[in-house]
Amino acid sequence: MASRHLLNPLAPLGVPSPSALDGIPQELERDLRAYGALLVQQAGIMLKASQVVMATAQVLFQRFWFVTSLKHFGIRDVGMGALFLASKLEEAPLRIRDIVNCFSYLDALVAYCSSPPYPPASTFEAYAPMDYFATEFYDRKDAMVIAEMQILKRLAFQTQCGLPYGHLVNYLQVLELAGENDLVRRCWGFCNDLLQTAAPALYPQGTLALASIYLATRLSTPPIALPLEPVPWWTHFDTTEDEVVDVAEMLLRLYRQWGSDPRDAGAEDEGVKRDSVWKRAGRIPVTKAGVRELLAGDGSGDADRTPR
């Protein structure tokens, strides 16, 4: 167990996050975590970054919010910094100006596109980049570089990020489920979506993979039974039933909150799922000023509908 923790430093369970101590409601924190991770993922897709880069960036992003509050940093800036840092850690560096332009495009999309679905990534090719000598560009670039430095500083340079994908492949083979293509695709989708929750910073990557298998088998039609004899299946993978169920519940709560259907996870066409996600995203502040304004208002989310 200790070696797994060294590969993927984890936050203690049952301890309130800095955001919770600052009075940020759980639902708002889940929204901010999910939306920031979603921005990282979409920017990575548009920049043709590898899945490893995007997943590493999301793990760093989730981990960061266990050492600082969402009142002190904006999710957009930290998302940019995490993606920039992850691209260097995985030796596939992305250009600063490309990251800034991608996040600027996504901001504009959420602010002005009132009727999703989200357009294909190729639409970004037609996006007019901001003036590289403009104050806005320099402000965003500086914010990204500062966020990268803050991630390194506050995480004490603990940037090792274990990912669940290798465990998922091995576990599916052990359970003799690797040949079920639809099931494998859904498991992969659940692993991706779990990166939008706090789970990667709380549980070992193997537990995330097991929770994905648990959800996928339960949601299959008909459900696929996992072996409970001579011993329950999860005991073979150095975890407990409570841990698997807790991680699964974290993802299901996010789906319910965002109006998504868990059966869409890993589907080739996730248009319906993405539709509901971007509708809710327009109500979520991406800056620390927006978060503070939202908390000072009535809490309905109407105080900050557009990213600023």
Side-chain angles (χ1 to χ4, degrees):
M1 182 67 73
S3 61
R4 291 193 299 169
H5 285 208
L6 288 174
L7 290 173
N8 192 26
L10 302 175
L13 292 171
V15 177
S17 68
S19 300
L21 294 175
D22 269 345
I24 294 178
Q26 281 189 344
E27 182 175 333
L28 178 57
E29 183 173 353
R30 279 198 299 267
D31 269 344
L32 292 166
R33 283 177 175 272
Y35 185 30
L38 186 64
L39 289 175
V40 169
Q41 181 184 36
Q42 294 299 331
I45 290 172
M46 289 189 288
L47 292 171
K48 297 180 173 60
S50 69
Q51 179 62 29
V52 173
V53 169
M54 292 185 285
T56 298
Q58 290 175 87
V59 172
L60 291 172
F61 177 85
Q62 298 295 351
R63 196 180 293 168
F64 182 75
W65 302 116
F66 281 102
V67 293
T68 194
S69 171
L70 287 153
K71 271 188 175 181
H72 299 155
F73 294 91
I75 58 172
R76 179 183 60 203
D77 297 341
V78 175
M80 288 194 296
L83 184 59
F84 185 47
L85 175 58
S87 72
K88 292 189 287 186
L89 291 173
E90 300 301 330
E91 299 183 357
L94 298 170
R95 294 189 300 184
I96 290 177
R97 68 178 186 180
D98 291 339
I99 296 176
V100 170
N101 276 315
C102 275
F103 276 80
S104 175
Y105 168 73
L106 291 170
D107 279 354
L109 175 70
V110 174
Y112 302 114
C113 182
S114 58
S115 57
Y118 175 76
S122 59
T123 306
F124 178 63
E125 304 297 331
Y127 174 69
M130 67 179 68
D131 184 352
Y132 296 135
F133 297 100
T135 301
E136 182 183 6
F137 177 79
Y138 277 101
D139 287 346
R140 291 202 178 205
K141 182 186 75 170
D142 289 345
M144 182 184 74
V145 173
I146 291 171
E148 181 197 19
M149 290 189 295
Q150 288 292 336
I151 292 171
L152 289 170
K153 173 185 174 183
R154 291 171 184 261
L155 294 181
F157 286 81
Q158 294 293 322
T159 57
Q160 303 94 331
C161 293
L163 302 177
Y165 306 110
H167 294 274
L168 177 63
V169 173
N170 291 334
Y171 295 166
L172 287 170
Q173 290 175 341
V174 171
L175 293 169
E176 299 182 351
L177 296 172
E180 303 285 341
N181 292 335
D182 290 340
L183 177 73
V184 172
R185 187 161 47 243
R186 185 170 288 172
C187 288
W188 200 272
F190 285 139
C191 278
N192 288 336
D193 290 347
L194 274 168
L195 299 177
Q196 296 172 25
T197 73
L202 292 170
Y203 289 97
Q205 57 269 28
T207 304
L208 271 62
L210 292 173
S212 299
I213 295 172
Y214 173 74
L215 281 173
T217 53
R218 294 290 295 271
L219 293 173
S220 294
T221 305
I224 298 174
L226 294 173
L228 296 176
E229 298 292 341
V231 294
W233 61 275
W234 57 80
T235 61
H236 295 291
F237 305 109
D238 192 23
T239 190
T240 66
E241 182 181 19
D242 288 342
E243 290 179 335
V244 173
V245 171
D246 191 36
V247 173
E249 275 296 322
M250 291 176 71
L251 185 56
L252 291 176
R253 280 195 297 269
L254 182 66
Y255 285 150
R256 288 192 292 267
Q257 187 167 322
W258 284 64
S260 300
D261 188 339
R263 291 176 176 80
D264 293 332
E268 293 182 5
D269 180 11
E270 292 188 306
V272 175
K273 173 186 170 185
R274 191 174 290 139
D275 222 8
S276 62
V277 164
W278 287 106
K279 284 178 181 178
R280 189 175 182 92
R283 303 173 62 89
I284 300 172
V286 297
T287 65
K288 63 180 181 181
V291 172
R292 291 175 176 178
E293 181 182 338
L294 183 63
L295 293 173
D298 59 8
S300 66
D302 297 332
D304 191 347
R305 283 182 173 272
T306 57
R308 291 170 297 158

